[in-house]
Amino acid sequence: METTDLLKKVRKIEIKTRGLSRNIFAGEYHSAFKGRGMAFSEVREYQFGDDIRNIDWNVTARYSHPYVKIFEEERELTVMLLIDVSGSREFGSFEKLKKNVITELSAVLSFSAIQNNDKIGVIFFSDKIEKFIPPKKGKSHILRIIRELIEFHPESNGTDITEAVRYMTNAIKKRCTAFIISDFMDDNKDLEMALSIANNKHDMVALNIYDKRETELPSIGMIKLKDAEKGNYVWVDSSSSKTRKLYADWWIKHMGRLDVMFKKSGVDYVSINTNEDYVKSLMTLFKRRALK
């Protein structure tokens, strides 16, 4: 991609996603993703209504007048984006491919993070770790992430989310908030355990990206389907009601399995359709977390 075209794409995504994060998500993000706890800030004279459990007895004894400790939230977070760059992200049957939605979501979360003075880092993964961008602050860092999202070309087409989760758990020593942004087309049986272990150390959130055409097969006769990750082709008779039912049943089972896995591992998640506005889905997730 030429530099001029790349800069135009970066600018377009920046304008859209920075506006969303500033005008819509800023407050919800802050409420949904808490800091590391409360830290001592200062002492002041006791006022009616203050919690007596916060009285600083040493200062009170010194001045013969009650003083209380004031605590503030330790706001700064480290946010990690685990971004699926496998072959299946190239799928899309309407206006947007999965990878376009993943790019915009990643940019929105990145701008939301820096507006709250949080660090942001990225792990690109396929069936291996493709690239690790350590957490940092600042607009130039965000623009670098967006550039990578637009022009990154993975070495592999496969998917291994388990490997990515394990890598992050080992690479990030302090507690962080980690978003796994993927279509979760991965049947690795170890994923649930990896998510459970990671969620004990970090705050894990899953954004499941899917396309409507993955949920049902249209009746349009014989069609040639390609496995984007393995590269093999198969002919399917979509006019067969039995075939369409098998296809739909597989999708229902797949979504049910993901729901069980996320709940067992304690991971918050939301499913986002490429054909729908992801703003509503993210707001639902943020508000649900803020109530916890």
Side-chain angles (χ1 to χ4, degrees):
M1 185 182 296
E2 292 185 5
T3 303
T4 305
D5 292 337
L6 174 60
L7 291 174
K8 284 180 180 177
K9 286 192 175 185
V10 170
R11 182 61 178 157
K12 184 178 179 180
I13 290 174
E14 179 194 358
I15 291 170
K16 178 177 181 179
T17 56
R18 186 161 64 168
L20 282 173
S21 61
R22 182 190 298 121
N23 301 325
I24 300 176
F25 296 126
E28 282 75 10
Y29 173 92
H30 186 98
S31 301
F33 302 101
K34 305 292 194 300
R36 292 186 296 249
M38 304 302 288
F40 171 74
S41 174
E42 60 180 340
V43 294
R44 64 162 169 76
E45 289 189 39
Y46 175 86
Q47 297 174 3
F48 180 76
D50 284 339
D51 190 336
I52 60 172
R53 291 174 296 183
N54 291 334
I55 290 177
D56 187 321
W57 294 106
N58 291 329
V59 177
T60 296
R62 190 181 309 151
Y63 293 102
S64 302
H65 188 79
Y67 279 77
V68 292
K69 296 177 182 178
I70 303 300
F71 296 88
E72 291 181 352
E73 181 186 4
E74 285 191 277
R75 175 58 240 177
E76 183 181 297
L77 295 174
T78 295
V79 177
M80 289 300 301
L81 304 180
L82 280 67
I83 300 175
D84 185 346
V85 292
S86 63
S88 58
R89 73 182 177 134
E90 300 288 343
F91 185 76
S93 57
F94 292 89
E95 291 184 3
K96 288 183 179 178
L97 301 178
K98 283 193 244 181
K99 72 174 182 180
N100 300 137
V101 176
I102 288 172
T103 296
E104 288 190 20
L105 281 170
S106 301
V108 164
L109 292 170
S110 297
F111 279 117
S112 296
I114 63 166
Q115 284 169 18
N116 278 274
N117 202 35
D118 297 336
K119 294 178 182 177
I120 183 93
V122 178
I123 295 171
F124 291 104
F125 70 92
S126 55
D127 55 4
K128 64 179 184 177
I129 304 305
E130 296 275 355
K131 187 161 193 170
F132 172 52
I133 302 176
K136 284 177 64 177
K137 296 181 183 180
K139 181 182 174 182
S140 62
H141 181 62
I142 302 302
L143 294 180
R144 178 200 170 187
I145 290 173
I146 295 174
R147 284 197 301 272
E148 291 282 2
L149 285 163
I150 293 171
E151 65 175 0
F152 186 78
H153 297 288
E155 293 181 5
S156 177
N157 286 323
T159 307
D160 190 343
I161 304 172
T162 304
E163 173 65 20
V165 172
R166 286 173 176 164
Y167 179 88
M168 190 219 62
T169 305
N170 293 326
I172 308 300
K173 302 304 179 185
K174 292 184 178 179
R175 179 175 173 81
C176 76
T177 296
F179 294 89
I180 309 172
I181 310 175
S182 172
D183 58 10
F184 289 89
M185 294 295 182
D186 182 0
D187 57 3
N188 191 324
K189 294 178 181 177
D190 294 329
L191 179 55
E192 183 182 315
M193 178 62 73
L195 286 172
S196 296
I197 292 170
N199 203 42
N200 283 331
K201 180 180 178 183
H202 303 291
D203 179 13
M204 306 296 292
V205 183
L207 305 182
N208 176 35
I209 315 302
Y210 72 97
D211 188 272
K212 184 180 178 182
R213 190 55 68 220
E214 292 171 320
T215 70
E216 59 184 10
L217 201 61
S219 179
I220 53 175
M222 294 295 292
I223 54 176
K224 190 178 183 181
L225 301 178
K226 178 184 178 182
D227 186 324
E229 299 192 1
K230 296 178 182 176
N232 54 301
Y233 291 87
V234 61
W235 283 96
V236 174
D237 182 9
S238 66
S239 61
S240 165
S241 58
K242 182 180 178 182
T243 299
R244 292 198 306 275
K245 185 177 186 307
L246 285 171
Y247 189 93
D249 287 348
W250 175 87
W251 177 257
I252 292 168
K253 266 189 208 175
H254 170 69
M255 293 298 283
R257 182 179 63 83
L258 290 182
D259 183 66
V260 170
M261 178 183 70
F262 291 134
K263 285 178 179 174
K264 280 188 176 180
S265 57
V267 172
D268 280 329
Y269 83 99
V270 66
S271 292
I272 298 172
N273 188 334
T274 59
N275 193 39
E276 295 176 354
D277 186 358
Y278 56 78
V279 171
K280 185 177 179 181
S281 299
L282 274 187
M283 291 290 280
T284 300
L285 173 68
F286 287 3
K287 287 178 179 178
R288 188 170 71 226
R289 287 180 58 91
L291 294 173
K292 287 188 174 182

